């Protein structure tokens, strides 16, 4: 992972215990007050003080940004398993969020920050939308989605080649009725050459099997969307669709060129009477404002959070069926340069709901948890860029997904 700072600012759309991070308030817009009732001498003195404050520099002070600087939040929303986390990682050119082939891997709203000289894009990856949550954990996940939706300046609606809809009809109606700008992303277009168009499952009303059909479908659902872009996020940051989306979000002068790289525009990619997204339109998607974070800040989450996520990803990759969904990971100890060899020591608890699940996670003679630990250590060493020693302990917290106290302790609800 590149050398980025992890900022400790707590955003209201994110559900992680504030006690575990240092609070850093975002920079506020600075407005000069007027002094209509003051004498000229008093006004001049106050202006001089304000000018001195403007010029005063100190460590950690954020740049004010020019008059044309833009900054805003982008809510990434869609059904489970649409590749939202993969899209955010590709946009950031960093493996920030865990992404597996299993649905509902993402449980928290996670902030990823993309900064240029003139724009700061605060991407918020959200859990996959669930229409009818089955237990309190899922309710907390949907609260994270709604919080991100409410605070967003721009909505990034993610679907796939098959036009999988947002499962919650009421949320989708809010998207349709919202005055916030919307960009639709058709992910997994690489499946177009693999799909069986004659399969009965693919002939269901509303389901699409070609990129052209998917774009036309979503243009009809969201007719005012700024763009409906086909992408293949699995190809990574250099995918032409991902690159075009990145340039649109940051309001780059290269927007028209990157859209041309996609080839001849398909019907519905842009609103009626438009052949592309202009630079001015791209710049208008986010509001004017100073940056909220330093240029080299990638996220506001602490390292401990991402370490727990990487262990959880290993659980998803090594456990089957419902078991990984019953697991939570809590970092108990995180010590840098702990051993004589300078390794970082991480002690984590893997929380399950049943004794039977504990046996499955541990495995015969501890084989499963050992494999999870080895894979997690490899990911942690890549993330932390140092040697890591990992110790995993499996514990039972009966029905933790349904208990409010447990969910508060794990940072899913307040």
């Amino acid at each position: 992972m590149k050398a980025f700072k992890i900022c400790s600012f707590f955003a209201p759309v994110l559900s992680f215990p504030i006690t575990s991070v240092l609070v850093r308030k975002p920079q506020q817009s600075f407005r000069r007050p007027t002094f209509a009732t003051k004498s000229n001498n008093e006004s001049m003195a106050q202006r001089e003080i304000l000018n001195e404050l403007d010029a005063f520099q100190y460590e950690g002070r954020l740049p004010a940004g020019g008059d044309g600087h833009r900054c805003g939040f982008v809510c990434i929303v869609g059904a489970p398993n649409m590749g939202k986390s993969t899209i955010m990682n590709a946009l950031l050119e960093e493996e920030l969020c865990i992404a597996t082939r299993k649905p509902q891997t993402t449980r928290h709203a996670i902030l990823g920050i993309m900064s240029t000289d003139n724009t700061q894009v605060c991407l918020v990856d959200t859990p996959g939308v669930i229409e009818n949550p089955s237990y309190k954990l899922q309710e907390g996940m949907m609260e994270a989605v709604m919080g991100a939706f409410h605070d967003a300046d721009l909505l990034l609606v993610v679907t796939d080649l098959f036009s999988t809809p947002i499962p919650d009809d009421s949320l989708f109606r809010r998207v349709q009725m919202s005055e916030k700008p919307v960009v639709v992303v058709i992910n997994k277009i690489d499946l177009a050459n693999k799909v069986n168009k004659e399969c009965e499952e693919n002939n269901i009303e509303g389901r699409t099997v070609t990129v052209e059909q998917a774009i036309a479908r979503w243009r009809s659902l969201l007719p005012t969307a700024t763009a409906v872009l086909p992408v293949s996020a699995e190809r990574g940051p250099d995918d032409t669709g991902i690159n075009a989306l990145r340039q649109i979000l940051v309001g780059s002068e290269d927007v028209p060129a990157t859209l041309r790289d996609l080839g001849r525009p398909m019907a519905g990619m842009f609103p009626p009477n438009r052949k592309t997204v202009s630079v001015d339109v791209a710049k208008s998607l986010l509001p004017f404002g100073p940056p909220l974070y330093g240029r080299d800040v990638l996220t506001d989450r602490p390292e401990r959070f991402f370490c727990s996520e990487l262990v959880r990803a290993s659980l998803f990759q090594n456990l089957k069926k419902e078991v990984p969904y019953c697991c939570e990971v809590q970092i108990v100890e995180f010590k840098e340069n702990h051993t004589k060899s300078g390794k970082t020591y991480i002690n984590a608890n893997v929380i399950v709901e049943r004794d039977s699940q504990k046996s499955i996670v541990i495995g015969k003679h501890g084989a499963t948890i050992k494999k999870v630990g080895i894979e997690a250590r490899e990911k942690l060493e890549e993330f932390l860029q140092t040697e890591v020693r990992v110790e995993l302990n499996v514990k039972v917290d009966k029905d933790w997904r349904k208990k409010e106290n447990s969910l508060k302790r794990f940072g899913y609800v307040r």
Side-chain angles (χ1 to χ4, degrees):
M1 186 170 187
K2 295 177 185 175
F4 280 95
K5 291 182 181 178
I6 297 181
C7 176
S8 57
F9 167 62
F10 178 84
V13 299
L14 307 180
S15 53
F16 194 76
I18 194 167
T19 54
S20 64
V21 297
L22 298 174
V23 178
R24 175 179 173 183
K25 295 181 180 179
Q27 181 180 359
Q28 301 296 320
S29 300
F30 185 76
R31 297 182 179 178
R32 295 182 181 278
T34 56
F35 305 100
T37 60
K38 301 288 184 180
S39 68
N40 289 338
N41 289 338
E42 288 176 316
S43 296
M44 289 179 64
Q46 287 168 334
R47 281 196 294 271
E48 288 176 1
I49 292 173
L50 292 173
N51 288 333
E52 288 180 9
L53 288 174
D54 277 348
F56 182 64
Q57 297 295 322
Y58 53 89
E59 184 178 356
R61 178 172 180 173
L62 296 176
D67 292 338
H69 190 277
R70 294 179 182 271
C71 179
F73 285 84
V74 178
C75 173
I76 307 175
V77 64
N81 212 27
M82 293 296 99
K84 298 182 294 297
S85 298
T86 307
I87 287 172
M88 179 148 125
N89 288 343
L91 288 170
L92 295 172
E93 302 182 68
E94 290 287 346
E95 294 298 317
L96 184 66
C97 303
I98 64 171
T100 73
R101 295 189 179 278
K102 295 182 180 179
Q104 296 178 18
T105 304
T106 301
R107 290 177 178 171
H108 296 268
I110 300 175
L111 177 69
I113 304 158
M114 187 164 57
S115 300
T116 68
D117 290 339
N118 302 313
T119 309
Q120 187 168 85
V121 183
C122 302
L123 299 162
V124 183
D125 181 28
T126 64
V129 175
I130 306 168
E131 185 172 15
N132 297 307
S134 300
Y135 36 83
K136 285 189 177 294
L137 170 61
Q138 291 186 342
E139 291 175 7
M141 290 160 60
M142 291 309 96
E143 287 178 8
V145 174
M146 295 309 299
F149 178 90
H150 180 268
D151 292 339
D153 299 292
L154 169 65
L155 302 175
L156 194 64
V157 177
V158 179
T159 183
D160 59 8
L161 179 72
F162 308 109
S163 293
T164 302
I166 293 176
D168 188 334
D169 291 340
S170 63
L171 176 59
F172 186 62
R173 282 195 295 272
R174 291 183 66 176
V175 174
Q176 290 178 310
M177 297 173 64
S178 175
E179 295 182 357
K180 299 175 182 180
V182 175
V183 173
V184 179
V185 176
I186 311 289
N187 193 22
K188 305 184 182 182
I189 61 168
D190 49 297
L191 298 177
N193 296 326
K194 304 173 185 177
V195 66
N196 181 2
K197 298 180 177 60
E198 305 303 323
C199 178
E200 185 176 346
E201 181 186 5
N202 291 327
N203 291 318
I204 301 173
E205 183 179 356
R207 187 175 175 88
T208 57
V209 292
T210 68
V211 178
E212 292 84 355
Q213 289 175 355
I215 291 174
R217 170 73 175 163
W218 281 87
R219 176 55 64 187
S220 67
L221 292 172
L222 295 170
T224 62
T226 301
V228 181
L229 296 178
V231 311
S232 180
E234 277 205 344
R235 295 172 183 163
D238 295 329
D239 176 69
T240 52
I242 289 292
N243 188 38
L245 175 61
R246 186 187 299 114
Q247 302 309 317
I248 288 174
L249 293 177
V250 301
S252 168
E253 298 291 335
D254 295 330
V255 168
T258 54
L259 288 172
R260 286 195 296 271
D261 291 340
L262 293 174
R264 184 183 295 275
M266 300 179 195
M269 281 183 64
F270 311 112
N273 303 320
R274 288 188 186 174
K275 297 180 179 179
T276 188
V277 176
S278 69
V279 175
D280 288 341
V281 168
K283 288 182 177 180
S284 70
L285 296 177
L286 296 180
F288 289 109
L292 298 176
Y293 305 90
R295 178 70 180 265
D296 55 353
V297 172
L298 179 63
T299 183
D300 65 343
R301 294 276 186 172
E303 286 182 333
R304 290 170 70 109
F305 170 80
F306 290 104
C307 290
S308 68
E309 287 286 275
L310 290 171
V311 175
R312 197 164 64 84
S314 295
L315 290 166
F316 264 85
Q317 290 166 351
N318 286 281
L319 299 174
K320 298 178 180 179
K321 297 182 179 179
E322 180 67 15
V323 178
Y325 295 99
C326 301
C327 295
E328 172 62 15
V329 177
Q330 290 290 293
I331 304 298
V332 180
E333 290 183 86
F334 184 98
K335 298 179 179 179
E336 295 179 306
N337 300 318
H338 178 65
T339 65
K340 292 181 179 179
S341 60
K343 290 183 179 181
T344 293
Y345 171 70
I346 297 175
N347 184 355
N349 288 338
V350 177
I351 314 296
V352 296
E353 292 188 309
R354 302 277 189 276
D355 287 324
S356 59
Q357 295 165 354
K358 179 178 180 179
S359 300
I360 294 171
V361 173
I362 293 173
K364 189 174 182 180
H365 305 304
T368 303
I369 195 66
K370 181 179 180 180
K371 186 178 180 184
V372 169
I374 291 171
E375 292 186 8
R377 177 177 55 79
E378 292 173 354
K379 294 175 183 177
L380 289 165
E381 288 182 340
E382 183 179 356
F383 174 72
L384 297 172
Q385 294 291 288
T386 186
E387 289 188 281
V388 175
R389 178 188 168 196
V390 180
E391 288 188 10
L392 300 180
N393 313 290
V394 186
K395 298 190 175 184
V396 177
D397 182 353
K398 188 176 180 181
D399 295 328
W400 70 264
R401 292 184 296 175
K402 300 177 182 178
K403 291 159 55 177
E404 189 166 347
N405 287 340
S406 294
L407 294 173
K408 284 182 178 178
R409 183 159 51 93
F410 299 151
Y412 291 108
V413 298
R414 298 186 201 175

